[in-house]
Amino acid sequence: MSATIVDGKAVAAELREEIAAEIAAMNQSGARPPSLAVVLCGDDPASAIYVRNKGRAAEAVGMRFGLHTPPATSTTEQLVELVKALDADDDVDGILVQVPLPAQIDEQAVTQWISREKDADGFHPYNLGLLAAGHEGTVAPCTPLGCMELLRGSGFAPSGRRAVVIGRSPNVGRPLAFLLTNADATVTVCHSRTQDLPSVCRDADILVAAIGRPRMVDASYVKPGAFVIDVGTTPENGRLSGDVDRGSVEPVAGWLTPVPGGVGPMTVAMVLRNTLALARVRRALVRV
Ligand code: GUN
């Protein structure tokens, strides 16, 4: 048996088509297209690539995209002023501050000024709280949403399945555990202190590797036939490496999301979906 390699690019392209059709319908009804504002501060090369991909994807679906690039020497106060201005701008539907920020910037002090109504990343504590309480909400963190869409796009229903998430990060592991729980999976979250990690993982029908350690997950972690989702994106020798040792896992798993071309394109599509959802909700509240 060899795993089905899940084509994240194809699933993301379908989602972008759906989003483009919804934006075209908005335009037809005379509404402005949704607008996404991205703040990119500093010289992190990976961030520059991610932001470029988000900009291209936004424009391809007919979304407005505003890129703000304050210099790497900016202060926390300067970024706070920028984010406050974007948050107050009625023409902006979604705001995303790309991280990591330069070391002198207090990330939390900046991002706390993104209101929950403009939270394109889905990181606002209110929106995370809704998720934790079992509500669908308007937005959710993009990488976890992308993982859920890869399951859905593969026809793999989480209900009643055992899911194991390796990694408890605030942006991926924890919110994904909520999404899987809300989809009626039985979820275990593992981390660096988990005892006998491979044997816990071998119970999983859905195994998510979100650790940031290239090729750590090999066949000894995988139940035959499992759906394995690789969230790892560690730069190595000019390319991205996943957390899953593909050569070892592919003969055992039932499905495997590759790196690159699995979760990554989905994350970008989910930023667009979040922004569209925010635009709909805010306009319904602010003006019809
Ligand atoms: N840096 C890497 N991934 C992300 C993301 O999803 N959102 C933001 N804001 N920054 C990132």
Side-chain angles (χ1 to χ4, degrees):
M1 192 178 72
S2 185
T4 299
I5 302 300
V6 180
D7 187 348
K9 282 189 200 162
V11 181
E14 273 172 34
L15 283 166
R16 285 198 305 270
E17 270 179 36
E18 287 171 23
I19 293 165
E22 291 193 43
I23 292 176
M26 273 175 127
N27 290 342
Q28 289 233 317
S29 71
R32 286 170 299 135
S35 98
L36 172 65
V38 170
V39 177
L40 173 64
C41 177
D43 314 312
D44 183 59
S47 290
I49 293 170
Y50 290 141
V51 167
R52 191 187 64 200
N53 290 344
K54 287 169 190 169
R56 284 182 181 163
E59 279 161 10
V61 298
M63 196 171 273
R64 289 171 298 152
F65 182 75
L67 177 58
H68 304 265
T69 55
T73 52
S74 300
T75 63
T76 298
E77 291 69 29
Q78 285 167 329
L79 287 200
V80 165
E81 288 315 310
L82 172 58
V83 170
K84 277 184 174 177
L86 293 170
D87 204 66
D89 184 346
D90 193 42
D91 210 32
V92 170
D93 294 298
I95 305 169
L96 184 155
V97 176
Q98 188 72 20
V99 296
L101 289 167
Q104 78 277 12
I105 308 265
D106 179 345
E107 181 186 321
Q108 169 65 20
V110 173
T111 55
Q112 68 173 332
W113 291 100
I114 302 173
S115 64
R116 62 185 162 96
E117 292 87 359
K118 296 197 176 189
D119 175 27
D121 264 320
F123 294 162
H124 191 288
Y126 177 90
N127 291 322
L128 290 173
L130 283 183
L131 206 60
H135 299 288
E136 194 177 330
T138 306
V139 293
C142 299
T143 298
L145 275 180
C147 294
M148 298 303 290
E149 285 297 319
L150 288 175
L151 288 165
R152 190 197 52 78
S154 306
F156 194 99
S159 179
R161 310 275 194 165
R162 283 181 189 272
V164 171
V165 180
I166 320 175
R168 55 179 163 179
S169 68
N171 298 350
V172 182
R174 288 172 196 260
L176 180 54
F178 290 136
L179 286 170
L180 286 163
T181 304
N182 296 349
D184 301 321
T186 303
V187 184
T188 303
V189 180
C190 298
H191 45 75
S192 53
R193 303 289 168 89
T194 300
Q195 302 284 310
D196 199 2
L197 182 61
S199 95
V200 177
C201 293
R202 278 196 305 274
D203 259 349
D205 304 305
I206 300 166
L207 177 62
V208 183
I211 330 130
R213 291 179 57 180
R215 297 170 293 282
M216 189 184 101
V217 172
D218 63 17
S220 72
Y221 288 66
V222 178
K223 176 176 171 175
F227 199 115
V228 180
I229 301 179
D230 189 351
V231 183
T233 52
T234 306
E236 271 189 336
N237 309 319
R239 54 195 311 271
L240 293 180
S241 296
D243 291 342
V244 174
D245 180 344
R246 180 168 169 176
S248 170
V249 167
E250 198 172 334
V252 181
W255 289 263
L256 174 60
T257 74
V259 176
V263 174
M266 299 300 296
T267 300
V268 176
M270 291 302 140
V271 176
L272 306 181
R273 202 173 80 180
N274 275 348
T275 304
L276 173 60
L278 291 167
R280 285 193 185 296
V281 169
R282 205 170 58 86
R283 289 173 196 187
L285 293 175
V286 174
R287 52 162 188 258
V288 181

